[in-house]
Amino acid sequence: MNELTVGQVAKRCGVNVSALHFYEREGLITSRRNSGNQRRFGRDTIRRVSIIKVAQQLGIPLKEIIDVFAELPAFGAPQQHQWEAMASRWQVQLQARIAQLQQLEKSLTRCIGCGCLSMKQCPLYNQNDKLSEKGPGPVLLQSGS
């Protein structure tokens, strides 16, 4: 069956064994137990862990990764259409995040790039906390203004 031990999966994926145990508890990966009660993973686990790592690096919350993986088969590699559905679901979020980062970059460049360091000219300056009525956090940047 060519199954892998938890140590082999950890080494191949560049994660700690404890991360694999966590992923298994959360239902992101599955294993079976051999006659000695040791975990054995299918090779598809490598793909799953790789996707988890990439998704986390992109800032996708673990809850959402869990939700998406719940729609995939527990054992065996997902079919092409299942991977495509997952990818397109995340693309919308990533495009929104890219737009938000570009707006932040534009605002910071405009602010720092003028060279005058004048708080009266800075688009991020919030004299007397006028923006508090619009909500918590960096509302100017979040609104795209």
Side-chain angles (χ1 to χ4, degrees):
M1 203 175 213
N2 207 6
E3 294 177 316
L4 303 169
T5 67
V6 68
Q8 289 171 321
V9 174
K11 182 178 180 181
R12 176 67 176 82
C13 295
V15 299
N16 293 325
V17 168
S18 60
L20 296 175
H21 292 169
F22 173 75
Y23 295 156
E24 189 172 18
R25 278 193 310 274
E26 295 298 319
L28 292 165
I29 61 174
T30 55
S31 68
R32 67 167 198 82
R33 299 288 181 143
N34 68 8
S35 59
N37 202 30
Q38 296 171 326
R39 287 179 172 88
R40 292 294 184 255
F41 295 91
R43 293 203 167 271
D44 59 292
T45 304
I46 294 170
R47 179 177 292 167
R48 287 174 176 268
V49 173
S50 296
I51 293 291
I52 294 165
K53 287 179 64 176
V54 168
Q56 288 179 320
Q57 289 171 356
L58 293 173
I60 296 171
L62 187 61
K63 170 72 171 110
E64 184 163 333
I65 298 169
I66 291 168
D67 290 347
V68 169
F69 272 48
E71 299 170 11
L72 301 177
F75 291 96
Q79 296 178 7
Q80 182 67 31
H81 70 89
Q82 292 169 314
W83 285 117
E84 289 172 358
M86 179 180 62
S88 60
R89 180 174 174 175
W90 287 344
Q91 279 179 330
V92 172
Q93 289 181 339
L94 294 175
Q95 289 168 352
R97 189 170 291 129
I98 288 167
Q100 188 178 34
L101 288 170
Q102 287 173 331
Q103 179 62 35
L104 175 61
E105 178 185 41
K106 179 180 166 187
S107 297
L108 289 175
T109 303
R110 190 171 60 226
C111 178
I112 295 168
C114 71
C116 72
L117 299 177
S118 168
M119 295 307 276
K120 292 180 182 176
Q121 298 293 324
C122 180
L124 303 177
Y125 184 57
N126 181 20
Q127 187 175 16
N128 299 321
D129 197 22
K130 291 183 278 187
L131 295 175
S132 65
E133 63 195 45
K134 294 187 179 191
V139 295
L140 188 63
L141 292 175
Q142 291 173 341
S143 68
S145 301

